[in-house]
Amino acid sequence: MIKANNPNLKSWIEVPDKSDFPIQNIPFGVFSLKNEQLRCGTRIGDQVIDLAMLEAEGFFSDLLSVQVFNQSTLNAFMELGKEYWSAVRQRISELFSEDNPKIRDNEALRQYLIHDLQAIKMHLPVRIGDYTDFYSSREHATNVGIMFRDPDKALLPNWLHIPVAYHGRSSSIVVSGTDIHRPKGQLLPKDADKPVFGPSKLLDFELEMAFVLGKGNELGEPISIENAEDHIFGMVIFNDLSARDIQKWEYVPLGPFLGKNFGSVISPWIVPLEALEPFRTSGPMQEPEVLPYLKLEGENTFDIHLDVSLQPNKGIENQICTSNLKYLYWNMAQQLAHHTVNGCNMNSGDMCASGTISGPAPNEFGSMLELSWGGKNTITLNDGSERKFIHDDDTIIMRAWGERNGIRIGFGESRCKILATK
């Protein structure tokens, strides 16, 4: 049996050059045809495969004892656990490999099983019960600390000992292509001692990745660092929109609230952790040594390139920063182990975002706050216009991919247009 990650695999479905979705990827998502119900699917090249139909035709009957794909979310499938995720992914790989005729040579089946990307609509892939936002990039935390605190004490004393995080609002996480209105809230003008109410003037993006919980844990039962990745179904791109002026006024003493909960935008396809195995790498050295429950040897993160572009209204895309997942100081296993070490129970579909992923170079800063250095610097776009923060009708496009041995595994994109305040 040829494994699904084999770089030599080819599909009988055509895959364009530099596609994020070769047969080695096999992401999972939720889609619909026009005026039809939602169902689960996967993607090869620019073709979307109906997993509910595959299931109905009996292609998973020896693997799954219950039907999980004729649903509006992936939660039922994710709850089955890692063994089942892997088996289904392997079966899909076999069915769509170039030398397998079962579906390839059955034109009638292909016609209602496979759909062109342009003919379908993507939806939020999971029912997100809870959402946690970490703060795991040392470069980002240091930059923000320098801007707003004593540069010699940019990192707070706890930062190198625990993966810092806060619980956010899951209801406002939306799928790529959803427009977001500029938020309103309380703002404290410069040199003022009383706030005013109005639209945010310092709207920002945060370049993040998020992992999706597959199988949860019982209340009171921590997930160990060694077993943490067995609970992670896969990853998405995560654009955590931020109203910096609202946030600055409200975040002391309890942290982000209205400055963060108005919208976060994810890519529609969840890329399984298993598909990212070829891109494993080591993260930054952690010093001082972490406590035993957070200690994990080996390659515990992934070499995933990140890219952000800003597109003005009726204009062209402008790449404004790049970064890499491997820069994160705290990896996903450590985040999940810390999240549950007190007995916190996680559920299928819960989402944990990385926090802004910034690199060491100025062009690798993962937010407008850093790129403009708090508004002191100006970003000039191709059309000659300038930005310090996001303007109305700007579209933010985030992309992510790993590439090795001639195989590119990507996430598609997270795309969001900012509309004027309602």
Side-chain angles (χ1 to χ4, degrees):
M1 180 175 64
I2 300 176
K3 292 296 185 180
N5 283 6
N6 189 316
N8 296 317
L9 272 179
K10 303 289 184 185
S11 175
W12 50 263
I13 293 178
E14 181 182 356
V15 177
D17 290 341
K18 291 295 182 181
S19 171
D20 280 355
F21 302 100
I23 192 172
Q24 290 84 359
N25 191 333
I26 311 179
F28 293 88
V30 169
F31 75 98
S32 65
L33 295 165
K34 188 176 181 180
N35 299 323
E36 292 191 18
Q37 67 181 32
L38 279 60
R39 75 285 302 273
C40 302
T42 187
R43 175 177 174 179
I44 297 176
D46 292 335
Q47 303 299 308
V48 175
I49 300 160
D50 189 333
L51 293 179
M53 197 64 68
L54 270 183
E55 185 175 59
E57 292 289 335
F59 286 103
F60 303 131
S61 58
D62 60 324
L63 304 178
L64 306 176
S65 59
V66 293
Q67 292 198 341
V68 294
F69 291 126
N70 192 20
Q71 302 198 28
S72 60
T73 71
L74 288 161
N75 292 65
F77 174 53
M78 296 191 304
E79 288 170 358
L80 297 178
K82 183 178 180 180
E83 176 185 351
Y84 294 93
W85 313 334
S86 183
V88 167
R89 182 169 176 269
Q90 180 64 36
R91 177 61 51 82
I92 295 168
S93 174
E94 294 167 2
L95 290 170
F96 293 92
S97 294
E98 61 181 349
D99 58 352
N100 191 327
K102 285 186 179 179
I103 299 173
R104 183 195 66 194
D105 297 348
N106 187 335
E107 183 177 357
L109 179 58
R110 289 200 318 270
Q111 286 189 346
Y112 66 83
L113 184 67
I114 302 172
H115 308 282
D116 188 83
L117 190 63
Q118 303 306 316
I120 60 95
K121 180 181 179 180
M122 296 302 298
H123 301 270
L124 202 66
V126 294
R127 182 178 62 256
I128 306 169
D130 283 297
Y131 153 57
T132 301
D133 192 21
F134 283 89
Y135 190 53
S136 292
S137 164
R138 184 171 186 167
E139 288 81 4
H140 174 68
T142 300
N143 288 340
V144 173
I146 290 172
M147 274 186 260
F148 297 114
R149 290 192 297 272
D150 180 353
D152 294 328
K153 298 178 181 178
L155 292 180
L156 292 173
N158 65 347
W159 200 93
L160 294 171
H161 295 276
I162 61 172
V164 175
Y166 74 94
H167 290 284
R169 181 75 181 173
S170 62
S171 62
S172 53
I173 298 175
V174 296
V175 73
S176 176
T178 305
D179 297 336
I180 297 290
H181 287 270
R182 182 177 296 271
K184 294 178 287 188
Q186 289 193 23
L187 323 168
L188 186 67
K190 187 178 180 180
D191 300 325
D193 57 5
K194 291 183 179 179
V196 298
F197 179 79
S200 169
K201 296 179 174 62
L202 307 181
L203 189 59
D204 201 356
F205 66 82
E206 294 194 10
L207 172 58
E208 306 190 24
M209 298 292 288
F211 67 82
V212 182
L213 255 290
K215 197 169 181 62
N217 61 305
E218 296 296 326
L219 181 66
E221 296 291 336
I223 296 174
S224 70
I225 188 77
E226 294 82 9
N227 296 328
E229 286 193 1
D230 291 344
H231 291 259
I232 297 174
F233 178 68
M235 298 185 69
V236 295
I237 305 169
F238 195 96
N239 178 3
D240 192 20
L241 294 166
S242 299
R244 299 297 185 184
D245 38 8
I246 296 174
Q247 181 182 356
K248 184 177 180 180
W249 171 238
E250 72 180 359
Y251 86 105
V252 177
L254 288 181
F257 187 33
L258 301 188
K260 292 278 194 177
N261 69 2
F262 61 94
S264 299
V265 188
I266 67 169
S267 51
W269 295 103
I270 304 176
V271 176
L273 221 55
E274 191 174 60
L276 301 176
E277 284 294 328
F279 313 110
R280 277 200 179 271
T281 190
S282 300
M285 180 178 293
Q286 295 184 326
E287 188 66 36
E289 186 176 4
V290 300
L291 291 174
Y293 79 95
L294 291 171
K295 195 167 185 178
L296 190 63
E297 304 295 337
E299 297 181 328
N300 302 305
T301 190
F302 301 90
D303 182 7
I304 304 296
H305 302 276
L306 309 173
D307 180 286
V308 182
S309 291
L310 187 152
Q311 184 176 15
N313 192 32
K314 299 180 181 178
I316 63 172
E317 288 188 26
N318 297 254
Q319 185 189 69
I320 56 174
C321 73
T322 64
S323 190
N324 197 299
L325 181 68
K326 68 182 180 182
Y327 292 147
L328 283 182
Y329 189 86
W330 296 105
N331 60 55
M332 291 183 290
Q334 290 175 318
Q335 291 168 354
L336 184 54
H338 182 68
H339 199 319
T340 64
V341 73
N342 66 343
C344 173
N345 55 320
M346 308 287 285
N347 297 307
S348 174
D350 286 355
M351 193 167 285
C352 293
S354 61
T356 305
I357 306 172
S358 294
N363 68 315
E364 296 177 315
F365 293 168
S367 66
M368 297 290 278
L369 176 69
E370 295 165 272
L371 292 167
S372 71
W373 205 253
K376 294 179 180 178
N377 302 325
T378 299
I379 301 165
T380 302
L381 305 183
N382 294 330
D383 62 3
S385 64
E386 296 180 339
R387 297 290 187 278
K388 294 184 177 181
F389 290 90
I390 302 171
H391 291 189
D392 289 349
D393 297 319
D394 283 348
T395 297
I396 302 299
I397 306 114
M398 295 183 176
R399 300 183 176 94
W401 69 92
E403 195 159 4
R404 190 169 293 175
N405 298 324
I407 299 297
R408 174 184 171 120
I409 303 293
F411 293 77
E413 62 182 31
S414 166
R415 177 181 292 262
C416 173
K417 185 172 185 177
I418 298 301
L419 305 180
T421 301
K422 280 192 173 183

